[in-house]
Amino acid sequence: MSDGGTVRILGIAGSLRRGSFNAATLRTAQELAPAGMTIDIFDIAPIPVYNEDVRQQGFPAPVEDLRTRIKSADGLLIVTPEYNYSIPGVLKNAIDWASRPPEQPFDGKPVGIMGASAGAMGTGRAQYHLRQCFVFLNGHVMNRPEVMIPAAQNKFDANGKLTDQPTRDFMTAHLTAFKAWVLRMK
Ligand SMILES: Cc1cc2nc3c(=O)[nH]c(=O)nc-3n(C[C@H](O)[C@H](O)[C@H](O)COP(=O)(O)O)c2cc1C
């Protein structure tokens, strides 16, 4: 809250796909963020595949950038698909890189999770696996309201705009609660 009141959130989408519903959901979150909350988006595409031998030489620049931006954010918003009932590899890979010592940046960080899937479960299984990772990393994931968007292909228009009003409403409820959660964790 460097400017004296605004809650600064770092948003990460767990899909690299150009037409990703999750990236579109994250952009919608930017649009629906309450007054006093901003969401900057970090693109995980440049993060290399984790290799401990590489880490021994130092963090690659995109990883260093991610770690710095997580540290300086007041909270994290992760918007992820579900792959095979779990966390997509690209997202888990980014978290694994960022989590390595020293000073792992998730420690004590407020975290919000949303997800959109083609299936009926709206990424619930991936979200609970993500929550499990944050137990170890000591990120403070907000319990509820949860945002699980099923049948995403029916809820966005061709330009990636979220047109489903009930979904926009529960995203707004989540973001309002998340702002309060971040302030409470401070
Ligand atoms: C490798 C892979 C595994 C998937 N597994 C699941 C799954 O377990 N549950 C589900 O609801 N959808 C699954 N899907 C479908 C995704 O929900 C769908 O592709 C969705 O659009 C991905 O999110 P995105 O639009 O942000 O890329 C899977 C897709 C891929 C590519």
Side-chain angles (χ1 to χ4, degrees), residues 48-69:
V49 174
Y50 188 83
N51 182 332
E52 179 66 16
D53 295 336
V54 174
R55 184 183 79 92
Q56 299 289 337
Q57 315 291 313
F59 288 115
V63 175
E64 196 65 70
D65 189 21
L66 174 60
R67 285 166 53 85
T68 302
R69 290 182 64 185

Side-chain angles (χ1 to χ4, degrees), residues 8-159:
R8 291 162 42 259
I9 304 301
L10 186 68
I12 296 173
S15 171
L16 309 185
R17 198 168 72 84
R18 203 177 310 116
S20 163
F21 295 123
N22 287 277
T25 300
L26 182 53
R27 291 192 299 273
T28 305
Q30 284 183 306
E31 187 193 320
L32 298 176
M37 174 190 270
T38 61
I39 303 174
D40 289 331
I41 294 178
F42 184 91
D43 178 10
I44 60 173
I47 297 202
V49 174
Y50 188 83
N51 182 332
E52 179 66 16
D53 295 336
V54 174
R55 184 183 79 92
Q56 299 289 337
Q57 315 291 313
F59 288 115
V63 175
E64 196 65 70
D65 189 21
L66 174 60
R67 285 166 53 85
T68 302
R69 290 182 64 185
I70 294 170
K71 279 181 204 163
S72 65
D74 297 312
L76 269 187
L77 176 62
I78 299 179
V79 186
T80 185
E82 176 175 280
Y83 279 5
N84 298 314
Y85 284 19
S86 191
I87 306 164
V90 286
L91 176 60
K92 181 65 163 51
N93 180 66
I95 291 170
D96 290 343
W97 264 118
S99 71
R100 302 303 289 150
E103 296 170 34
Q104 74 90 349
F106 300 108
D107 190 15
K109 193 68 64 178
V111 180
I113 300 175
M114 300 183 181
S117 77
M121 298 289 284
T123 75
R125 292 158 296 216
Q127 291 197 26
Y128 287 126
H129 284 179
L130 197 50
R131 284 176 183 272
Q132 182 177 323
C133 296
F134 283 115
V135 171
F136 176 65
L137 296 171
N138 198 36
H140 298 317
V141 182
M142 185 174 74
N143 280 335
R144 57 184 185 183
E146 296 177 312
V147 173
M148 296 172 180
I149 306 173
Q153 66 278 9
N154 301 328
K155 291 173 180 156
F156 293 81
D157 70 14
N159 299 316

